[in-house]
Amino acid sequence: MKLFGRIGRRLLGWFLLIALIPLLFMGYQGYASARRGVEREVYLHLQAVAMSKRHAIEQWFAERAADMRVVAASPLFLTYGGALHGRGDHRGLHEISQMLNAYQVQSRSYAHMCLYDRQGMPLLCTMPGGDYIASFERSTLFRKALNSTEPVPGPIYLNPATGPTMHLAQTIRDPRGEPLGVVVATLVLAKTLNPIILDSTGLGQTGEAYLVDAGKVMLTPSRFMDHPDPLTHTMDTEGIRRALTGSDGTGGYKGYDGRRVIGAWTYMPEHEWALIVEMKAEEALAPLARMRRDTILVAMLTFGVILMVVGLISRSISAPIRELAAASLDVSRGDLERTVTVRLRDELGELAERFNAMVGSLKDSRSALQDAYDKLVRAQKQIVQAERLAAVGELAASVVHEIRNPLSAVKMNLRILEGKCAQDSVAAEHFRLAREQTERLETMLEDLLDFSKPVALRLAAVRVEDVVEDALRMFRADDAMHTVTVNVSDSLPPLNADRERLGQVLLNLLLNARQASAAGEEIRVAAESVSENGASAIRISVADRGQGIAPENLSHVFEPFFTTRKRGTGLGLANARKIVEIHGGTISIESTVGKGTAVFVTLPIAS
């Protein structure tokens, strides 16, 4: 949009408002209407396919039922009734077997037929070796057949030899209606139902039909090779769930593979089956995709034409303005050699001339300003370098050389004396405290040398009174002249902190208070619960009645290497602030010249 400038954007906005927006609105309305029409046609088509397949299945079952009724009504059963009662009529069983074989070969639907007596015991089978139903006399199919005058279908099951298979049983009755036996036909679905279901006429490249039973088990194979075999898995889609409630309908939903499909479903109550016909939504709604693509193409072409028209108009109007704006941006970035070409003899041409004159004036004054700035930078660098060198020199001379080596000798001798005075508990305690002080000084020296390094905390639940006690014990071991008043409640909640680091902070504050106070003056240490930015916290204060800090120095006391003492390093309060801030707290100072100083450390309470 920067290509056109503000004028071009306004022109483009009006063109879009007048031409493109109405076009898009009409395209959207047409697309929505077409989508409804296409979806309606797809739903009707899939519903027609589903009803056609249902009718074919029902017709096939009606034909098989008619076959079974004809078989059961054969006069051979009355002629050779004794054979059905197990009287050893071999000729009768042979005649009946020939008759069943004749019916079997007339249709591809039957794998074989078996005959059972009225107690459910096997008599004969057209399959060599017999393929009788195990414990048929106790099966649900046998009981249903005895209680029905019509053929009774059994459930579909998976036969290792023939695949999905089902039985159709018909009771043979005498003229009085008494059962003589039961004939059971074994139907192989691969030659019967499957051809009906797998017929993909009208289902395109992605459509298919399948049957599921009341347990959502898929009964028929899929037309796609990557689908599991029938009767080996269950399926759960919206179409299956709705069909098993006994309803017929159509709709869009996620198929068994997670992709959106358009489906039609119907329920077959006589078998408790759901017949599902589905097609992938991408293929079913392919005309809509083409229409959407064409609509977008027309919109893009229209937008391209609008851009060309607006570009030509905007170029003739706003090109000089944009050139001047670009030159102003270059000058603001420091390019004082940038000028604009004066092409027009109007207000824009006059503005271009004034701009070139302004750039010339800026260029003339740039050298003087640069010289002054260079001098100022050099002076500032010299001052900073001098201050740093002074602080580093004092640090190296007064701390490293004068403390570290003597301190090591003191610590070594204290260890020797502590061992020799082990029998004298009082002297040993004094030597132990002295050794701890030397070790503490060594730690402070390391902190001084590693000031720029990150502080590693050992966090734990710490009681404030313990931290105060640690700091006071080390302070009093070195100072018996000052009175320290402590006001710390035993009921304060614990802090999640590094006990040693906080003790170092408090000891540093106590030492500063001692140095700012005269001998014998009181130093006050207090701790209380406060609210900091809406959160609970503990505020620890160390106050003295010394000479105070001058106002001009008060804002610098936490800066590294800032000190008003001749032999100080200026790192005490800087280290303290660093440790407090790493704990998530704050440190502040209040001071009045001649009245004293108070330092406040506020730390969050451990949750």
Side-chain angles (χ1 to χ4, degrees):
M1 297 304 295
K2 292 183 180 180
L3 175 65
F4 303 111
R6 293 185 178 180
I7 297 175
R9 290 199 296 271
R10 291 174 184 173
L11 289 173
L12 184 60
W14 282 108
F15 273 96
L16 293 177
L17 184 64
I18 295 173
L20 191 59
I21 293 179
L23 178 63
L24 291 176
F25 178 77
M26 293 176 61
Y28 173 78
Q29 291 294 329
Y31 174 79
S33 177
R35 181 182 182 89
R36 289 191 295 270
V38 170
E39 288 180 347
R40 183 171 56 253
E41 291 298 322
V42 171
Y43 289 150
L44 291 175
H45 173 73
L46 292 179
Q47 190 174 39
V49 173
M51 297 309 296
S52 174
K53 291 184 179 295
R54 175 177 177 173
H55 176 73
I57 294 172
E58 291 174 345
Q59 180 64 28
W60 178 82
F61 266 108
E63 294 173 357
R64 303 290 77 74
D67 289 345
M68 295 302 291
R69 284 192 291 268
V70 171
V71 170
S74 174
L76 288 176
F77 293 115
L78 297 179
T79 303
Y80 300 104
L84 300 180
H85 290 84
R87 296 175 183 171
D89 189 351
H90 298 292
R91 182 174 180 274
L93 291 177
H94 178 73
E95 292 292 332
I96 293 173
S97 177
Q98 293 295 322
M99 181 268 294
L100 293 179
N101 271 310
Y103 274 103
Q104 175 184 331
V105 299
Q106 290 178 3
S107 174
R108 296 176 55 205
S109 300
Y110 305 110
H112 55 270
M113 292 185 179
C114 296
L115 181 65
Y116 302 81
D117 64 16
R118 60 186 177 184
Q119 279 79 36
M121 304 305 294
L123 294 176
L124 63 89
C125 188
T126 60
M127 181 178 181
D131 186 16
Y132 300 103
I133 301 174
S135 302
F136 179 68
E137 70 277 9
R138 295 193 299 271
S139 67
T140 302
L141 180 61
F142 175 68
R143 291 194 300 272
K144 287 184 177 180
L146 288 181
N147 295 325
S148 175
T149 60
E150 293 296 323
V152 176
I156 296 177
Y157 68 97
L158 187 61
N159 189 308
T162 59
T165 306
M166 69 179 297
H167 297 298
L168 189 61
Q170 173 69 55
T171 301
I172 305 167
R173 299 182 184 276
D174 61 17
R176 294 176 299 175
E178 295 296 325
L180 297 175
V182 178
V183 61
V184 178
T186 300
L187 308 176
V188 179
L189 269 61
K191 298 180 180 180
T192 55
L193 285 181
N194 290 359
I196 299 174
I197 296 298
L198 293 177
D199 182 11
S200 60
T201 302
L203 295 179
Q205 298 296 322
T206 61
E208 65 174 328
Y210 52 90
L211 286 173
V212 295
D213 62 12
K216 300 181 181 179
V217 176
M218 189 169 181
L219 304 176
T220 55
S222 171
R223 62 181 289 197
F224 302 110
M225 298 299 294
D226 57 349
H227 198 280
D229 294 331
L231 293 169
T232 62
H233 65 288
T234 59
M235 299 177 60
D236 188 11
T237 65
E238 183 180 353
I240 293 174
R241 292 192 295 270
R242 290 191 179 184
L244 291 178
T245 61
S247 65
D248 297 348
T250 58
Y253 53 90
K254 285 186 178 180
Y256 55 80
D257 59 355
R259 298 172 61 187
R260 187 164 183 79
V261 298
I262 304 296
W265 58 85
T266 182
Y267 184 64
M268 303 177 68
E270 61 275 17
H271 304 288
E272 296 184 339
W273 291 346
L275 173 61
I276 311 296
V277 176
E278 294 175 348
M279 181 182 292
K280 292 295 185 292
E282 301 94 285
E283 181 181 11
L285 304 179
L288 291 177
R290 290 192 295 270
M291 178 180 292
R292 182 170 60 250
R293 184 175 61 251
D294 294 341
T295 302
I296 294 174
L297 180 60
V298 171
M300 292 178 63
L301 291 175
T302 304
F303 184 73
V305 172
I306 292 175
L307 286 178
M308 292 177 60
V309 173
V310 172
L312 293 175
I313 297 176
S314 176
R315 182 179 180 84
S316 63
I317 296 176
S318 60
I321 299 176
R322 286 189 280 109
E323 182 182 359
L324 184 60
S328 300
L329 181 60
D330 293 339
V331 171
S332 68
R333 292 174 176 172
D335 184 8
L336 297 183
E337 301 295 333
R338 182 75 158 87
T339 58
V340 295
T341 303
V342 181
R343 298 187 182 91
L344 303 175
R345 297 300 175 185
D346 53 13
E347 291 79 5
L348 290 176
E350 184 180 355
L351 179 62
E353 292 176 351
R354 299 284 179 88
F355 176 83
N356 291 336
M358 178 193 68
V359 173
S361 299
L362 290 175
K363 184 177 179 180
D364 294 336
S365 60
R366 182 174 185 177
S367 298
L369 291 174
Q370 186 65 41
D371 291 341
Y373 175 77
D374 292 340
K375 291 179 181 179
L376 181 61
V377 169
R378 285 193 297 271
Q380 183 181 15
K381 288 183 177 180
Q382 291 173 356
I383 293 173
V384 172
Q385 184 69 16
E387 291 177 350
R388 290 185 179 274
L389 289 175
V392 171
E394 184 179 357
L395 176 66
S398 63
V399 177
V400 177
H401 180 70
E402 296 182 13
I403 295 180
R404 196 172 194 180
N405 293 335
L407 191 62
S408 298
V410 170
K411 184 177 69 172
M412 181 183 66
N413 286 288
L414 285 174
R415 287 184 181 275
I416 296 173
L417 292 174
E418 183 181 2
K420 291 183 177 182
C421 298
Q423 301 300 323
D424 188 344
S425 61
V426 175
E429 176 64 16
H430 283 293
F431 280 118
R432 185 185 64 79
L433 291 175
R435 178 175 53 79
E436 289 180 356
Q437 289 298 313
T438 58
E439 292 174 351
R440 185 64 178 172
L441 288 175
E442 277 191 334
T443 302
M444 293 178 63
L445 182 60
E446 292 299 327
D447 290 342
L448 182 65
L449 296 176
D450 297 334
F451 175 72
S452 61
K453 298 179 182 179
V455 177
L457 299 180
R458 294 188 293 271
L459 298 177
V462 177
R463 298 170 66 246
V464 177
E465 48 268 40
D466 293 339
V467 176
V468 173
E469 183 180 351
D470 292 345
L472 288 176
R473 185 172 65 252
M474 290 184 288
F475 177 74
R476 286 167 176 160
D478 189 50
D479 189 334
M481 301 296 296
H482 288 78
T483 301
V484 180
T485 302
V486 180
N487 183 16
V488 178
S489 172
D490 293 337
S491 61
L492 291 176
L495 296 171
N496 185 31
D498 187 322
R499 179 172 174 173
E500 182 181 354
R501 294 289 187 180
L502 286 187
Q504 176 185 344
V505 171
L506 289 181
L507 179 60
N508 186 284
L509 298 181
L510 287 169
L511 294 175
N512 286 348
R514 181 187 68 181
Q515 293 172 0
S517 306
E521 285 189 347
E522 180 188 26
I523 298 175
R524 299 182 303 279
V525 178
E528 60 181 343
S529 295
V530 297
S531 178
E532 183 80 5
N533 297 325
S536 298
I538 293 178
R539 183 172 62 189
I540 306 172
S541 62
V542 177
D544 62 66
R545 296 180 179 177
Q547 69 271 22
I549 302 173
E552 62 272 15
N553 295 331
L554 194 60
S555 60
H556 302 289
V557 293
F558 293 110
E559 295 178 359
F561 305 109
F562 177 83
T563 180
T564 58
R565 299 192 300 273
K566 293 182 178 181
R567 299 185 64 81
T569 64
L571 287 175
L573 289 177
N575 264 327
R577 183 175 67 173
K578 186 176 182 180
I579 294 172
V580 170
E581 290 179 348
I582 291 176
H583 279 84
T586 58
I587 184 170
S588 60
I589 188 168
E590 297 178 2
S591 183
T592 303
V593 176
K595 293 184 178 180
T597 302
V599 182
F600 301 93
V601 176
T602 305
L603 297 167
I605 295 176
S607 56

